[in-house]
Amino acid sequence: MVVGAGGVAVGAEQQVAVGTVRVSRREVARGLLAAAAAVALAPVVAASRPLPMSDGPVGGSFDETYRGRRIQGVVIPVAGHRGLVGGDWQVTIDGRPLHLMRRADGTWLSMVDHYSSYRTPLEATRAAVDEMGPGQRLRELAPGPAGGGRMGHDMGGQHGVRA
């Protein structure tokens, strides 16, 4: 008889047949709980990642012709912020300004198509062109506040409603 390292005769160890391994209910419950936690946390992890700029502007600007219209956009950095995250976009369609707004979730919307969100300023600008149609143009906004007066400074003269 040959004695193994554990003091038991070689060949006399308890034989376990394949397929008879028993898993306790506790181990099954742990496995199911781990899988459920992974499924529950997957959307949170995916939402915390930055959106890819796959079709977006390279270098903070774009200049192209889309459906016969020239669309241009450039990021204007905001003081105190670094990179493209802290900048405002100055976008034009055929030389006329298009106002873009950044939403809290990081997507963009335009004043022409403000019911939908887009991943990049370029996508929002293209959607505005699609919404405008071939014969329409953006309106040229008057400089300064509405009414043409200087707010709070020009208080002299006639006040009230003119008929």
Side-chain angles (χ1 to χ4, degrees):
M1 170 167 77
V2 179
V3 178
V8 179
V10 176
E13 294 97 14
Q14 185 178 12
Q15 298 290 327
V16 177
V18 177
T20 60
V21 176
R22 300 190 121 207
V23 180
S24 69
R25 284 187 231 148
R26 183 174 291 172
E27 290 171 340
V28 171
R30 283 183 187 153
L32 289 175
L33 183 61
V39 168
L41 290 177
V44 174
V45 172
S48 68
R49 298 193 179 237
L51 294 172
M53 298 283 284
S54 60
D55 195 34
V58 178
S61 66
F62 57 87
D63 186 356
E64 68 178 43
T65 302
Y66 178 73
R67 296 193 179 209
R69 297 186 183 248
R70 184 169 186 195
I71 57 175
Q72 297 174 304
V74 64
V75 69
I76 309 292
V78 175
H81 288 88
R82 295 178 59 183
L84 299 179
V85 175
D88 290 328
W89 279 86
Q90 181 179 2
V91 177
T92 60
I93 299 175
D94 294 332
R96 294 181 182 242
L98 172 69
H99 182 69
L100 293 181
M101 290 177 19
R102 185 100 190 230
R103 300 183 65 159
D105 63 357
T107 59
W108 296 86
L109 62 90
S110 72
M111 297 317 294
V112 173
D113 184 16
H114 55 269
Y115 294 109
S116 300
S117 299
Y118 302 95
R119 292 180 305 161
T120 64
L122 178 59
E123 287 181 15
T125 306
R126 287 177 178 167
V129 169
D130 292 340
E131 188 70 26
M132 284 174 23
Q136 295 178 332
R137 294 183 69 180
L138 292 173
R139 284 186 275 166
E140 192 75 40
L141 298 177
R150 294 182 318 204
M151 298 283 274
H153 295 286
D154 191 14
M155 297 303 289
Q158 297 177 347
H159 299 286
V161 178
R162 294 185 195 166

